Amino acid sequence: MSVRPLRGRPGWLRRRSLRARLTAAAVVVIAGAIALAAVLLTVRLESALLASVDEAALDRAERVAATITSGSSAESLRAGDDDEVVHVLDEDGAVLASSVELPDGRPLLRAPAGTGLELVTQQGLALPGEQDEPYRVLALPVTAPDGQRFVVQVGLPLDDAEESVEELISALAIGAPAVVVVLAVLTWFLAGRALRPVEALRRQAADIPGDALDRRLAVPAGGDELARLAVTFNALLGRAEAATRRQREFVADAAHEIRSPLASLRTQLEVAALHEDPSWRNQLSALTEDAQRLSRLVDDLLRLARIDARVPLARDEVDLDDLVLETVGRVRAHTALRLDTSAVSGARIIGDRDALTRVVQNLLGNALRHAGTTVAVALTATDRALLTVTDDGPGIPVDQRERVFDRFTRLDDARSRDAGGTGLGLAIVRDVVLQHGGEVSIEDAAAGARLVVRLPLAG
């Protein structure tokens, strides 16, 4: 025995209104987008500021290098700005010139003097009389005209760049939440405005009572989703109204059909009870016929009730030719008409044997009620099983060939109650065939009516 897992209670968000959920989803998306944009903006600004510092350092280093390559003495170079640090080093790393005073003679810039252009960030560089600050350091190798090699080191402070980044972060920390709040309020307002027509449609639907299915929703102007929703709901109401009407008609027709044989049985039984003459026994045949007709009607009603309730059919392999021949054999014993089965060949399908037997019985019963002398039954199998039942009676007019499959339908006096029909046989045939994935139709015949059933073959 399997145990179904218990479903937990829905989360807090799922218990909120659709408007609240839409707003929450929008806030999450907006906040995520703003956070991502803030990070990208901060990184981009920091990268741009750093590139600007590197460009300024390279320009300063190239100017110092140009002085050296022009033949000036490296020891005589001095550099300018207060926050700028410039060193000129020899191959051994000794300071030949510096833009700041070096109390101990050691360079302030710790960037390695390599053989190529180098860029590094040095944390905690303290100029005389200043606090530690981060510096961007560039090392540029230079060769003098006499072949002597030098390294120009330029250090520029990063405090301005870091201040700009910090100011941006501070502004984003205040502005981004404010923007999210404003957009959340705007989303709440817009969601409420967008859902207002939906709420109006809901109120209209709630006001429709169960006995007034002829009422319809007002379709909003335009062809948007709400208009299509209203049209779809109106179509659903139309189908429900039609189904209810068919059900009422079915109940009324069924009550009428059952009332007639019951009234006849009651009348004859009352007459027999009033007369002691044994001749009342002659009425047994009529009583039996009415009872049989009532039994057939009840069987048909039960079959239709099972079809309407969508009771699953059996899915077995059925030799349709055997079923047809067996059914014809049973019917042949109770009719004087000729039943021709010479065109019945083999066909195997998947379906419910009892339901398919009722299909063949109803087709034969319909044909026998209208045939003059002969009913021909044929069965072939190509891409589908093709079952035809043809009678030589008056036939069915073309404009009535769809209507005969409706419940309690009789086209003329030939299809009267006295002839034994209930008006349900072909309706059952159509519904059962549709349940088996097939189709039923009426085709032209040389004389009479030809009913054709097509069913999928097994395999």
Side-chain angles (χ1 to χ4, degrees), residues 31-324:
I34 290 178
L36 179 60
V39 171
L40 294 177
L41 179 60
T42 302
V43 172
R44 184 71 184 91
L45 177 62
E46 187 176 16
S47 175
L49 292 175
L50 189 61
S52 177
V53 172
D54 291 343
E55 185 178 354
L58 179 60
D59 179 67
R60 181 68 174 124
E62 286 178 343
R63 283 190 281 116
V64 174
T67 302
I68 296 174
T69 55
S70 66
S72 299
S73 173
E75 288 81 355
S76 64
L77 291 178
R78 292 292 181 269
D81 298 338
D82 294 339
D83 293 335
E84 180 184 84
V85 178
V86 179
H87 294 331
V88 178
L89 311 177
D90 62 13
E91 290 183 300
D92 298 327
V95 178
L96 302 179
S98 177
S99 63
V100 295
E101 294 293 334
L102 303 177
D104 54 1
R106 292 181 299 173
L108 294 175
L109 305 178
R110 295 192 294 271
T115 59
L117 181 66
E118 296 186 25
L119 281 166
V120 296
T121 299
Q122 179 176 331
Q123 301 293 338
L125 187 150
L127 296 179
E130 301 288 342
Q131 296 180 349
D132 290 350
E133 295 181 5
Y135 266 68
R136 186 68 168 169
V137 180
L138 179 142
L140 178 66
V142 181
T143 303
D146 58 1
Q148 187 177 1
R149 293 182 179 181
F150 302 92
V151 174
V152 178
Q153 290 185 331
V154 178
L156 296 180
L158 293 177
D159 53 343
D160 290 341
E162 290 190 346
E163 268 184 40
S164 298
V165 173
E166 289 173 0
E167 289 177 1
L168 176 63
I169 293 175
S170 298
L172 291 174
I174 297 173
V179 171
V180 171
V181 171
V182 171
L183 291 178
V185 173
L186 183 61
T187 302
W188 175 266
F189 173 76
L190 293 177
R193 193 174 175 83
L195 293 174
R196 195 174 302 161
V198 178
E199 177 62 19
L201 291 177
R202 187 200 66 79
R203 285 196 298 267
Q204 291 182 51
D207 290 340
I208 297 177
D211 57 351
L213 295 178
D214 57 331
R215 291 175 55 180
R216 297 293 183 268
L217 302 181
V219 178
D224 58 5
E225 290 80 359
L226 290 176
R228 293 198 295 272
L229 175 63
V231 170
T232 302
F233 193 85
N234 287 339
L236 176 62
L237 288 174
R239 292 194 296 271
E241 180 186 9
T244 301
R245 183 175 62 252
R246 287 195 301 269
Q247 183 180 21
R248 290 171 179 169
E249 293 173 353
F250 177 78
V251 171
D253 289 339
H256 180 74
E257 292 293 336
I258 293 175
R259 186 185 299 117
S260 297
L262 284 178
S264 177
L265 282 172
R266 185 179 65 183
T267 300
Q268 294 181 68
L269 289 173
E270 288 175 350
V271 170
L274 293 175
H275 295 81
E276 297 181 359
D277 189 345
S279 62
W280 69 269
R281 297 178 182 275
N282 295 331
Q283 302 295 324
L284 285 178
S285 176
L287 293 174
T288 301
E289 182 178 346
D290 283 341
Q292 290 176 344
R293 181 164 165 266
L294 183 59
S295 177
R296 289 196 301 271
L297 177 59
V298 171
D299 287 344
D300 288 344
L301 291 175
L302 289 175
R303 172 63 64 179
L304 288 173
R306 287 175 59 85
I307 291 174
D308 290 341
R310 300 184 182 276
V311 176
L313 297 175
R315 303 290 296 171
D316 303 320
E317 283 197 2
V318 178
D319 290 321
L320 190 57
D321 52 320
D322 292 343
L323 185 150
V324 169

